[in-house]
Amino acid sequence: MTRPDLSAIVTFHGEGILAHTSLRSYALSRSVARQNSVEVQLVLVLDNADPQTRMFVTEHPDLDGTEVLVETRLGDAALARNAGVAACRADYVCTLDGDDLISTGYFLVHMKEAARQQGRFILHPEMVLSFGMYSAFNWQVDQDGSYYDENALLTVNPWISAAFSTRELFESIPYVACYPKRTGFGYEDWYWNAETIAQGVVHRLAWGSAYFYRRKWHGSLNEASHALRTVIPRTSLFALGRKRGEGQGHV
């Protein structure tokens, strides 16, 4: 089997029929990438997935047999992503959620932007369009741009969980489980963003890509974390004695 250029990890839990539309979106973006000679491997992680979600994923009409299915009982979004990374075969990896959508050129645009980067980097989609419980849109922050403020990470996560980087980076800086109900800590992607910056990784944007973020009425991990009043674990980004911007890479 030809080695893929990009492995896209999609995590599923209890999305039900929403998994169908998400996979249709990801498969369409994969098709566009293939038309431009970029092979995308879909790594489908079913973590404590209910029977309905599992059915919509495993029997999806757009699957072509090149996908990798990973079934786990981890019960944690961070660990589920790490399990997906372990199943990836490509040198580049991106993370997606099982109830969202992406622009048709999403994979291709990220791959083209990655080819222009130097050093250790993470790419995020340029624009996020929220839909569902409410509608909104925003442009994400490029760490090399004028709108980036490292101190802002004390109070807000500048990026959604969708991330793109090398497999080496995901392996060397894995996501860390929070288990908010037990620990009071949450927002594993926010914490991961802070830790990667502390280790000199630069967060950039894949210009021209859009992520469609489903804001759910019920079952949202972010909303649950808000309700529990969780905070991110103590991050080395704001360790005593660390100078602002210390360790930041350049591209």
Side-chain angles (χ1 to χ4, degrees):
M1 182 182 295
T2 304
R3 186 176 183 180
D5 302 293
L6 169 64
S7 293
I9 302 168
V10 189
T11 50
F12 298 94
H13 309 281
E15 290 78 9
I17 196 171
L18 299 180
H20 175 85
T21 53
S22 295
L23 267 179
R24 175 135 289 188
S25 173
Y26 301 152
L28 178 57
S29 188
R30 177 180 64 178
S31 177
V32 171
R34 284 175 171 173
Q35 291 169 19
N36 289 270
S37 302
V38 174
E39 181 58 37
V40 178
Q41 170 199 33
L42 293 180
V43 178
L44 312 178
V45 182
L46 293 165
D47 183 37
N48 282 343
D50 58 56
Q52 186 185 49
T53 300
R54 188 182 188 283
M55 179 193 69
F56 280 115
V57 172
T58 59
E59 299 181 15
H60 198 282
D62 290 337
L63 301 188
D64 61 12
T66 64
E67 300 81 12
V68 173
L69 186 68
V70 180
E71 297 198 59
T72 65
R73 291 287 179 182
L74 298 167
D76 181 85
L79 298 182
R81 290 196 193 105
N82 291 343
V85 171
C88 292
R89 297 177 55 242
D91 290 333
Y92 288 113
V93 170
C94 71
T95 62
L96 302 166
D97 283 336
D99 53 5
D100 297 330
L101 310 169
I102 56 175
S103 51
T104 54
Y106 189 93
F107 295 140
L108 182 61
V109 167
H110 277 72
M111 288 295 292
K112 288 183 176 179
E113 188 63 43
R116 292 190 280 266
Q117 300 299 315
Q118 297 178 2
R120 304 182 86 194
F121 67 89
I122 295 170
L123 297 179
H124 300 278
E126 177 187 0
M127 177 174 279
V128 176
L129 296 99
S130 298
F131 67 102
M133 183 173 63
Y134 64 85
S135 299
F137 68 91
N138 68 281
W139 284 271
Q140 299 209 91
V141 177
D142 190 302
Q143 192 176 335
D144 208 39
S146 59
Y147 289 102
Y148 172 73
D149 180 359
E150 183 172 287
N151 291 328
L153 274 93
L154 279 168
T155 57
V156 67
N157 184 7
W159 304 286
I160 60 170
S161 60
F164 175 111
S165 189
T166 62
R167 186 177 61 188
E168 181 277 330
L169 186 138
F170 281 102
E171 290 174 340
S172 61
I173 312 177
Y175 290 96
V176 176
C178 291
Y179 298 112
K181 290 183 179 179
R182 298 205 310 250
T183 67
F185 294 115
Y187 308 108
E188 78 289 334
D189 52 320
W190 183 357
Y191 175 70
W192 185 75
N193 288 335
E195 286 297 292
T196 53
I197 292 171
Q199 296 189 43
V201 181
V202 179
H203 290 245
R204 304 299 308 274
L205 298 184
W207 304 99
S209 60
Y211 194 90
F212 299 86
Y213 186 10
R214 188 184 300 275
R215 301 287 183 168
K216 293 181 288 188
W217 291 92
H218 305 287
S220 167
L221 188 58
N222 273 341
E223 293 303 320
S225 294
H226 286 320
L228 291 169
R229 302 193 177 193
T230 58
V231 295
I232 67 170
R234 185 171 64 179
T235 168
S236 55
L237 182 63
F238 299 108
L240 290 175
R242 182 182 181 275
K243 296 180 181 178
R244 184 176 181 274
E246 183 179 343
Q248 180 170 319
H250 297 282
V251 293

